[in-house]
Amino acid sequence: MSNLNLIDQTCGERRSEQIVGISPALKSALAEVERVAPTDASVLLLGETGTGKELVARSIHNLSSRSEHPFVKLDCAAIPFDLLDSELFGHEKGAFPWAVAHRIGRFEMADGGTLFLDEIGDLPPALQPKLLRILQEQEFERPGSSQTHRVNVRLIAATHRDLMGMIRQGEFRSDLYYRLNGFPIKLPPLRERHEDIPLLVSHFVEMFSRRIGKQIHDIPAETLSAFTAHSWPGNVRELQNLIERALILSNDGVLPNLLSAMARKSTKVTALQSTSNGSRHAVIDSNTEALQSPLRITGGRLDTTEHLPNHKFESSGISTDLPIVFVVDDDVPALEFMKQIICREGWQPETFALAQEFFDWPRPHVSNCLVVNISPRDLSGLELQKRMVIERCETPIIFIADHGDVPTSVQAMKAGAVEFLIKPFTDDALFDAIREALKRSSIALDREAEMRLVRNSYASLSHRERQVMALVLSGLLNKQIGSELGISEITVKAHRGRVMQKMGAKSVVDLVRMATRLRSERALAGASQFGSPLPSPISGSPDRRISRSVSYSGPTLTAASGRS
């Protein structure tokens, strides 16, 4: 293992002890760090989550003339909106209801040094003008005071989001972007640094061996090959967490390959396809193929089968009777954490980095719910919620967010979300929200099963029985129905009895309730989903006579008059 010094100086000073690698992509980024560090230019670090943006920011500070002054950091996504103003600029006593004492903000803490604002793309629009002013003028007013304070701060900002796209959508100020973008540095993802993976593995093994007190004397070649072939969506942070878990699980001094273990758990897939002759089951076991081809392992999930219509996919190691908790979050450590506690509670987790992956997954016929980050990369949480309503997806949603946003949370709850959790949240808060969501899902599934039974019962009725049912619901007596349809009263009674029996109705009131539900479902889902017209419960007097055909538009039955 060798560490790449940020600047190759003979004296060995100012070296970055935690930036490990020899890849050309990393060397190129570090060369830009070397050029910009001695200046006071604002730096914008761009890169995916887990690429080491904070380490690079610290390196820029350490290599600058401000290294003897404070390096202050703030994660804009981790602070609730109501507190972010105070965190940045401080406040005077009494400025807010909770402001019981005077407080200085991060800008004053970093005076003379460097302020690192991580996830700048999550900065609320209301605070963007204030940040722009302090960058331009190096002065600000503390909330609760009209006194102007001057500071001398170098700003380094970082984000994994597409700021230009946010500008086009009106979510980020263009003038602030150009002020921040004084010297942009793009950090390469780990999948573009294959040469660095063995060095990083050795580095993390050594680091965690000291912390945990467990020695690793062998890193198998096949383990390193699997690590090198992996795509690492969580980048260096994902690799670091995986090595820590591997050290904890190791019992013989050999570093285990947890990627293969995760792949074996998720590669056996059961496909259920309906055919004209019935249903056939096909079990696809790809364990051997997964072990022979580590390049196909992505994110702990091995995709061996395309999503086909009318197919149901099941994880091999977990009972299909278990409730399923879907999690959509591109924060890999958070995803892994929630996956572990969901398993610990006895539920089945299915995790996705993108919302579209969740929509591509077949809908299960067991209790299920969705835990989703309010700002996934490909689709906003509220848009996802709207799409689920349009698709009539009976999956309750629990939103999680990196910072508080009262209007968004209110909008989500009004739209039917079960809960809106702000990070960091406790295990109990997540458990309670999931239990409530699964309870709602169970009720919805029971309602759906009952509705399916009503649909099947109605489909079993003959044409004449549907005519009789419609006229019964219109309030006519047997004699009147017989006169309208041109059949005897005894025949009407026989048809009416079969209708009640097939529909499982004990009274006309039950028939009205069933017909109302059928009509409501048809209105929501569209007429094309039903192969035959549905009856309409029409109130009417018993002595009402029908002198012409009972016609209907949409879900109402047509009963032609005349003898049959």
Side-chain angles (χ1 to χ4, degrees):
M1 182 197 72
S2 64
N3 290 358
L4 177 66
N5 296 339
L6 195 59
I7 300 178
D8 187 11
Q9 297 178 348
T10 305
C11 61
E13 295 179 353
R14 292 183 175 180
R15 66 178 52 187
S16 176
E17 297 179 352
Q18 293 179 298
I19 299 180
V20 178
I22 57 174
S23 63
L26 181 63
K27 286 183 176 180
S28 176
L30 295 179
E32 294 182 343
V33 169
E34 177 185 353
R35 292 189 188 98
V36 75
T39 72
D40 276 339
S42 298
V43 179
L44 180 61
L45 302 177
L46 304 169
E48 299 176 8
T49 299
T51 50
K53 294 187 285 292
E54 182 180 341
L55 292 179
V56 172
R58 286 186 179 275
S59 298
I60 294 173
H61 172 74
N62 292 335
L63 291 169
S64 72
S65 59
R66 299 172 179 265
S67 58
E68 302 300 325
H69 296 277
F71 175 83
V72 179
K73 64 177 182 177
L74 177 67
D75 187 346
C76 298
I79 307 297
F81 170 76
D82 296 338
L83 301 179
L84 194 53
D85 192 1
S86 175
E87 287 290 334
L88 285 171
F89 308 108
H91 60 250
E92 296 292 341
K93 181 178 180 180
F96 309 108
W98 42 266
V100 296
H102 162 80
R103 177 181 180 180
I104 66 171
R106 301 298 174 98
F107 272 99
E108 289 179 89
M109 294 179 189
D111 192 15
T114 304
L115 176 62
F116 173 54
L117 295 182
D118 199 5
E119 297 302 343
I120 193 69
D122 291 298
L123 187 71
L127 291 182
Q128 293 177 20
K130 296 185 70 172
L131 179 60
L132 177 63
R133 182 196 173 192
I134 196 171
L135 292 179
Q136 291 176 335
E137 308 295 338
Q138 291 283 299
E139 63 181 27
F140 67 97
E141 283 85 35
R142 193 181 296 134
S145 170
S146 58
Q147 181 181 357
T148 299
H149 300 269
R150 296 194 59 83
V151 290
N152 177 16
V153 174
R154 181 189 194 169
L155 186 72
I156 302 176
T159 184
H160 73 280
R161 304 182 66 176
D162 178 13
L163 294 183
M164 290 302 298
M166 295 178 65
I167 290 172
R168 288 191 292 269
Q169 297 175 7
E171 298 176 355
F172 202 85
R173 293 177 61 105
S174 59
D175 49 2
L176 176 59
Y177 168 75
Y178 292 118
R179 174 63 65 174
L180 294 171
N181 199 36
F183 194 91
I185 299 177
K186 183 170 178 58
L187 302 184
L190 189 55
R191 61 180 173 273
E192 297 177 5
R193 299 170 50 194
H194 295 296
E195 307 94 325
D196 297 340
I197 292 177
L199 302 178
L200 288 165
V201 170
S202 299
H203 172 72
F204 290 133
V205 165
E206 180 182 348
M207 181 177 71
F208 289 119
S209 293
R210 291 195 302 267
R211 292 184 185 178
I212 300 173
K214 182 181 289 188
Q215 293 299 317
I216 294 294
H217 55 75
D218 184 20
I219 303 177
E222 57 269 22
T223 298
L224 282 179
S225 297
F227 286 176
T228 304
H230 188 52
S231 63
W232 300 110
N235 295 293
V236 179
R237 185 182 294 122
E238 181 185 359
L239 174 61
Q240 179 179 345
N241 292 339
L242 187 73
I243 297 299
E244 183 179 18
R245 291 200 303 273
L247 251 74
I248 294 172
L249 295 173
S250 174
N251 294 319
D252 53 3
V254 178
L255 188 72
N257 183 5
L258 298 188
L259 290 178
S260 295
M262 290 189 293
R264 284 196 299 271
K265 186 176 180 181
S266 60
T267 51
K268 185 180 288 184
V269 181
T270 302
L272 174 62
Q273 183 177 22
S274 300
T275 64
S276 57
N277 297 325
S279 300
R280 61 184 178 87
H281 297 268
V283 177
I284 303 173
D285 191 341
S286 306
N287 289 348
T288 305
E289 197 171 349
L291 293 175
Q292 293 175 349
S293 179
L295 283 171
R296 300 182 62 190
I297 303 172
T298 56
R301 179 183 289 111
L302 185 64
D303 189 10
T304 59
T305 307
E306 296 180 359
H307 297 300
L308 300 176
N310 300 324
H311 277 237
K312 181 179 179 183
F313 297 83
E314 301 169 359
S315 299
S316 62
I318 306 178
S319 169
T320 56
D321 293 332
L322 289 177
I324 299 176
V325 181
F326 297 101
V327 183
V328 177
D329 196 342
D330 56 8
D331 184 347
V332 176
L335 204 64
E336 287 295 322
F337 169 73
M338 286 188 282
K339 184 175 180 179
Q340 291 175 8
I341 63 176
I342 288 169
C343 287
R344 190 175 67 206
E345 191 68 11
W347 299 316
Q348 176 181 347
E350 292 292 349
T351 57
F352 310 93
L354 300 175
Q356 187 58 49
E357 294 178 4
F358 164 72
F359 281 112
D360 292 341
W361 196 264
R363 295 294 171 264
H365 291 293
V366 295
S367 299
N368 63 95
C369 68
L370 171 63
V371 180
V372 61
N373 194 310
I374 193 67
S375 301
R377 288 200 303 259
D378 57 335
L379 188 67
S380 74
L382 295 178
E383 289 298 323
L384 180 147
Q385 189 178 31
K386 292 177 183 177
R387 179 170 167 182
M388 292 180 68
V389 171
I390 293 173
E391 295 185 6
R392 301 188 66 218
C393 177
E394 298 285 356
T395 299
I397 302 180
I398 301 166
F399 282 115
I400 57 176
D402 296 327
H403 58 81
D405 185 343
V406 175
T408 303
S409 62
V410 170
Q411 188 176 353
M413 298 301 286
K414 284 184 176 180
V418 176
E419 186 58 271
F420 195 100
L421 300 175
I422 308 298
K423 295 179 182 178
F425 47 79
T426 65
D427 292 2
D428 289 340
L430 180 62
F431 287 152
D432 291 343
I434 293 177
R435 289 190 189 99
E436 175 61 27
L438 293 177
K439 179 181 177 182
R440 294 189 190 182
S441 176
S442 179
I443 293 173
L445 287 173
D446 291 343
R447 185 171 61 247
E448 181 182 337
E450 183 182 352
M451 193 65 242
R452 193 182 307 115
L453 180 61
V454 172
R455 286 198 304 268
N456 294 339
S457 299
Y458 182 74
S460 68
L461 298 180
S462 66
H463 177 67
R464 176 65 78 191
E465 288 167 350
R466 290 174 185 169
Q467 289 178 319
V468 170
M469 180 176 174
L471 294 174
V472 168
L473 294 174
S474 71
L476 297 184
L477 301 176
N478 291 344
K479 184 176 180 180
Q480 295 169 316
I481 295 172
S483 175
E484 177 64 30
L485 298 179
I487 59 178
S488 67
E489 187 175 349
I490 295 176
T491 304
V492 172
K493 288 182 179 179
H495 284 310
R496 185 168 181 164
R498 283 194 293 271
V499 168
M500 301 290 284
Q501 182 181 7
K502 290 182 178 181
M503 295 298 296
K506 297 180 181 179
S507 64
V508 176
V509 174
D510 287 346
L511 281 181
V512 171
R513 178 177 58 85
M514 294 176 183
T516 301
R517 294 185 63 184
L518 284 169
R519 292 189 66 212
S520 175
E521 184 181 60
R522 183 187 178 99
L524 287 172
S528 61
Q529 293 190 17
F530 298 92
S532 57
L534 306 176
S536 174
I538 305 172
S539 60
S541 171
D543 60 353
R544 172 185 173 189
R545 306 297 298 180
I546 301 180
S547 59
R548 62 183 185 276
S549 63
V550 180
S551 62
Y552 74 99
S553 173
T556 314
L557 175 66
T558 298
S561 61
R563 302 279 173 181
S564 61

